[in-house]
Amino acid sequence: MILSAFILSSGTNFFPPLPGAWRTVRSAPALILPAFILLLFLHLFSVNLAWAAPSSLADPPSLASLAQSREWHTLLHYHPRGLGRGFESLVDAKSFFLAPDGKTDPEAELEATFKTIFGGNDPEEQKRAICTFPARYRWLQRIFNPEEAPLEPPCDPYRQWVWDLQPFRLTLVFPAAYLNNPASMFGHTLLRIDARDQDDQTRLLAQTVNYAADSRGQHGFLYAFNGLFGGYRGRFSMAPYYVKVKAYGDIENRDIWEYSLNLSEEEIEQLLAHLWEMRSAWFDYYFLDENCSYHLLSLLETARPKERLLDRFDWWAVPSETVRSLAEAELVGEVRFRPSRTTILQERAWRMDGNLQSLSKDLTTGRLGSDAAEIRSLDPVDQAQVLELAIDYAAYLRNIKAREAPLAAANLPGLLHARSRLKVPNQTPELPAPHVWPGKGHQPARVDLGYGFEDDRHFISLSGGPGYHDIFDPQGGFTKGAQVIALQGELRYYPEKNRIELERFDILDILSLSPWNRFLHPVSWKLALGLRRKHREASDRLLLGAVDTGFGIHRELSPRTSAHLFAEGTLEVSDRLENFAAPGIGPGIGLMHDFSDEWRSGLFGQARYFPLDESRIDLEITARNRLVFDNGNMVGLDLSWKRQFDRGFFAGTLYLRWFF
């Protein structure tokens, strides 16, 4: 039935080319009756061959076997449901499926797709299906018509779309972490479609593919809650690259990494065909797993199904780890670094003395004119550096919508004109890409094995968790000054008491240290939530729930030394406290120095005054050291003096940390 309907309704378009002699025989009237008898015979006795009607293969595969293939599962985003309950597609849009139960039945969906595209009696329905699902069409053509594959779908809108893109290469784009947005604290990924004749000047005009949550403008707690529990729809979208560079590099001031992908022309065409299929499709969006990076990998799997890029991301998908997944699959080619506006601005300032920096700032804010005597007295190169820094600073103020932005914008034309009069080459500093790129640094999960003492007791400690990045972890591949720790705990074994205790459990610990200087005045901040122990008495170690927060400034005293000062607050809760909840306030300070890329040291102190709980003052001074081995793992030594509930004591831990 399917075979005869297919041949009679679809004509010769899907037949493979035949030798000239066979074409003559095929058209002979004397063979019409035998041909009809042969068709009837095949219809009655060959079900599998009927489904494979457009095949030029001698022994075509059955739809039942194809429905279990890796290629079909990637195209439909099928994943095992667990406990032997079959498969289910992650796509949640009903319009993506042709079979009523296509979301959970790969075979039914393939049969419906095959029947609609190759065996339908309605040419308009057939054309509509091909135009809606060109990737499915291309895949079936490669299987059943290998001599004609790849065959572009007969769909004018799709062909015009591909023609406009002129695809030649795909590039994965990674904007670094942005801690002022909870959804971007781990970074972000998107794809760029590069045209064949593209160069550095025209690259900004390329189209990008982005997957993101449709949050409908929500913010705050509701945004975080819906993002964590699938309350938003995630969709693919496209936009010019210059829009993304402005959003990430100029407004959010995030460095951008670009990874050229090693995909063939046919693989790129298949990916774009599937992207076309996803125009009206959507997924339930989850910040932790089904996020921006996860579904970009699922898109790339449709281009190269043999690479099981998603297998390691069952629980969470960290963007930098998805880059690592591509690198390990040997899909990453050239790596390029695009510094943000603030990175360039800071580098300009570092290379100029304080007097020249002050002149640049005065030019931007209008305290000095571009023809002022202080400017004309400089040599041409210094004038160019001062003017370019002033221009960059004006653009920065405009992008962040600072109070001085209108004045800076008014002065910008004069600054540009003054710079154009100087016959001096562009003074923009060449910033080499860091030697470790995101995805090549340490892995996020870690485990620590340590030995230490606290007061007069010794212990063996075991700690770890999915982590992500501690400010004392190896820096390469991560945003400088950014710390994100999640779901990390520590157990201690005390031999003299033969007892195991939970020492702490960090639900979330975020630290954002953004450099404050003459031009940039960002607020650094911290937030921590979890459980920890405190010494109420010598033999009484109280387990508390605690929330810590703080705001302050961070200064880079030299390229290897930095310091910060915070105003901090704490809330401790326990049924053993006088009032169950004890709020506390006080300062927090820190000083860090890198003796080398492998050796970092720091000195930290904090004081907390708890007026409602015994009017106590808790103090802590800690010295931290870490040394990184060649394999990326590290050894650490923490020494501290603490005062808790009016008791002072010393503590220390020596530990080894492995990343995985």
Side-chain angles (χ1 to χ4, degrees):
M1 183 168 52
I2 299 299
L3 175 63
S4 56
F6 165 76
I7 293 178
L8 294 176
S9 64
S10 60
T12 61
N13 289 339
F14 297 107
F15 279 96
L18 296 173
W22 279 105
R23 291 195 192 100
T24 303
V25 173
R26 180 169 168 259
S27 61
L31 293 181
I32 292 179
L33 182 58
F36 177 79
I37 296 173
L38 176 62
L39 288 176
L40 182 61
F41 176 86
L42 292 175
H43 164 67
L44 293 174
F45 296 100
S46 185
V47 176
N48 282 343
L49 185 58
W51 278 112
S55 178
S56 60
L57 300 177
D59 186 20
S62 67
L63 290 188
S65 63
L66 287 176
Q68 304 305 317
S69 68
R70 170 74 178 158
E71 291 82 358
W72 182 243
H73 284 196
T74 58
L75 281 176
L76 274 294
H77 301 267
Y78 287 121
H79 284 255
R81 300 175 69 180
L83 301 176
R85 295 181 298 128
F87 296 88
E88 182 174 8
S89 173
L90 297 180
V91 179
D92 295 297
K94 293 182 179 179
S95 60
F96 188 68
F97 305 98
L98 292 174
D101 53 350
K103 182 176 172 65
T104 57
D105 191 336
E107 185 173 351
E109 183 62 21
L110 181 54
E111 289 178 356
T113 299
F114 193 96
K115 182 176 181 179
T116 304
I117 291 178
F118 292 126
N121 294 314
D122 185 346
E124 287 302 317
E125 181 185 21
Q126 181 185 39
K127 183 178 180 180
R128 188 163 50 249
I130 293 173
C131 226
T132 303
F133 302 111
R136 302 188 197 183
Y137 171 84
R138 285 171 53 88
W139 177 64
L140 290 170
Q141 280 291 106
R142 278 197 299 269
I143 293 173
F144 293 110
N145 262 337
E147 295 180 11
E148 293 187 13
L151 182 65
E152 284 304 309
C155 174
D156 292 339
Y158 167 74
R159 288 181 172 180
Q160 184 63 49
W161 177 71
V162 174
W163 173 261
D164 291 340
L165 290 174
Q166 291 292 305
F168 173 66
R169 182 177 54 239
L170 292 182
T171 297
L172 184 79
V173 179
F174 179 87
Y178 179 57
L179 293 185
N180 289 332
N181 183 348
S184 301
M185 66 175 60
F186 299 104
H188 183 63
T189 54
L190 58 151
L191 283 177
R192 191 181 69 217
I193 305 170
D194 299 327
R196 184 177 299 276
D197 57 351
Q198 184 173 282
D199 55 28
D200 288 341
Q201 283 69 42
T202 60
R203 184 172 289 113
L204 290 173
L205 300 177
Q207 289 291 315
T208 62
V209 180
N210 187 51
Y211 178 81
D214 181 7
S215 63
R216 303 181 294 277
Q218 292 178 340
H219 298 283
F221 173 78
L222 190 60
Y223 175 75
F225 180 85
N226 285 332
L228 285 171
F229 298 102
Y232 295 129
R233 291 182 175 183
R235 301 180 185 274
F236 288 101
S237 62
M238 299 185 68
Y241 188 43
Y242 67 81
V243 174
K244 298 300 182 180
V245 169
K246 183 175 181 61
Y248 295 126
D250 296 344
I251 297 177
E252 295 183 353
N253 297 304
R254 301 160 70 174
D255 294 333
I256 296 174
W257 292 82
E258 302 171 350
Y259 304 85
S260 176
L261 299 180
N262 300 323
L263 293 173
S264 68
E265 181 178 350
E266 183 176 335
E267 289 171 336
I268 293 174
E269 291 173 355
Q270 182 68 358
L271 183 145
L272 292 178
H274 184 62
L275 179 63
W276 176 272
E277 294 180 344
M278 302 303 293
R279 289 175 302 159
S280 60
W282 53 269
F283 305 82
D284 289 334
Y285 188 95
Y286 297 88
F287 285 160
L288 295 181
D289 52 2
E290 290 187 52
N291 53 26
C292 63
S293 296
Y294 184 91
H295 278 300
L296 279 187
L297 288 187
S298 73
L299 191 63
L300 288 166
E301 281 193 340
T302 65
R304 191 176 291 182
K306 69 176 183 179
E307 305 293 352
R308 308 186 75 90
L309 302 173
L310 295 174
D311 283 2
R312 68 172 69 181
F313 303 112
D314 290 333
W315 298 98
W316 50 79
V318 178
S320 61
E321 288 305 292
T322 62
V323 177
R324 190 191 307 276
S325 176
L326 292 172
E328 291 178 354
E330 299 183 352
L331 282 170
V332 172
E334 181 186 7
V335 180
R336 297 167 60 95
F337 175 66
R338 182 186 290 272
S340 68
R341 186 183 297 279
T342 56
T343 298
I344 296 174
L345 193 153
Q346 288 172 330
E347 186 64 23
R348 285 188 189 276
W350 270 117
R351 300 186 183 191
M352 298 165 58
D353 62 39
N355 179 57
L356 295 181
Q357 292 182 35
S358 296
L359 291 176
S360 291
K361 188 169 184 179
D362 290 343
L363 282 173
T364 304
T365 56
R367 296 189 186 95
L368 282 178
S370 57
D371 60 346
E374 293 91 334
I375 305 299
R376 287 186 283 107
S377 65
L378 301 174
D379 66 69
V381 172
D382 284 346
Q383 286 188 50
Q385 290 180 349
V386 168
L387 286 167
E388 289 182 16
L389 178 55
I391 291 167
D392 272 5
Y393 187 46
Y396 165 77
L397 293 174
R398 183 177 57 186
N399 282 329
I400 67 169
K401 300 179 181 179
R403 182 183 57 187
E404 305 93 335
L407 184 59
N411 295 329
L412 189 56
L415 297 174
L416 291 169
H417 180 65
R419 177 62 183 91
S420 68
R421 296 199 306 263
L422 292 173
K423 305 304 180 183
V424 176
N426 190 337
Q427 296 298 300
T428 301
E430 289 291 333
L431 290 177
H435 65 280
V436 179
W437 35 263
K440 196 177 179 182
H442 71 78
Q443 294 178 298
R446 74 279 314 282
V447 62
D448 297 356
L449 180 63
Y451 174 81
F453 67 92
E454 189 175 70
D455 207 350
D456 59 348
R457 298 200 299 173
H458 293 253
F459 59 83
I460 298 172
S461 64
L462 178 66
S463 63
Y468 184 59
H469 182 67
D470 185 296
I471 202 166
F472 267 69
D473 288 343
Q475 182 62 55
F478 293 85
T479 301
K480 189 176 181 180
Q483 170 178 292
V484 181
I485 298 173
L487 304 178
Q488 183 163 298
E490 178 184 352
L491 293 173
R492 288 184 178 179
Y493 170 67
Y494 294 92
E496 66 270 22
K497 291 190 175 182
N498 193 27
R499 182 175 178 179
I500 297 176
E501 291 183 354
L502 175 66
E503 176 64 19
R504 61 179 175 81
F505 183 74
D506 300 318
I507 298 174
L508 188 65
D509 187 350
I510 303 175
L511 176 63
S512 174
L513 298 176
S514 301
W516 178 294
N517 56 38
R518 195 186 305 267
F519 298 94
L520 309 177
H521 302 144
V523 175
S524 296
W525 59 278
K526 63 184 293 186
L527 174 65
L529 171 66
L531 304 173
R532 63 181 177 221
R533 287 195 181 272
K534 276 193 169 183
H535 279 239
R536 190 175 182 90
E537 297 176 1
S539 59
D540 184 10
R541 301 178 69 252
L542 178 62
L543 187 64
L544 299 161
V547 180
D548 290 287
T549 187
F551 301 90
I553 60 173
H554 171 72
R555 292 292 301 266
E556 291 188 341
L557 308 179
S558 76
R560 288 188 174 272
T561 307
S562 64
H564 63 265
L565 175 64
F566 278 29
E568 300 180 354
T570 296
L571 179 65
E572 297 179 347
V573 294
S574 171
D575 58 359
R576 295 181 58 194
L577 295 175
E578 280 190 5
N579 300 300
F580 182 73
I585 57 172
I589 60 174
L591 177 68
M592 291 184 292
H593 178 73
D594 291 333
F595 291 97
S596 68
D597 291 341
E598 292 76 28
W599 181 13
R600 170 171 289 185
S601 291
L603 184 64
F604 305 90
Q606 66 176 25
R608 292 288 188 275
Y609 172 54
F610 294 89
L612 303 182
D613 188 69
E614 304 176 11
S615 191
R616 59 185 166 95
I617 297 178
D618 289 356
L619 304 172
E620 183 172 334
I621 301 173
T622 301
R624 296 186 65 185
N625 280 274
R626 68 106 164 103
L627 188 64
V628 180
F629 300 129
D630 289 340
N631 60 7
N633 298 315
M634 56 177 275
V635 60
L637 175 64
D638 296 347
L639 298 172
S640 60
W641 180 82
K642 303 177 183 180
R643 173 179 168 173
Q644 299 172 354
F645 292 96
D646 296 326
R647 290 192 67 257
F649 57 93
F650 288 94
T653 305
L654 176 67
Y655 60 91
L656 290 171
R657 174 169 294 174
W658 293 271
F659 297 98
F660 63 95

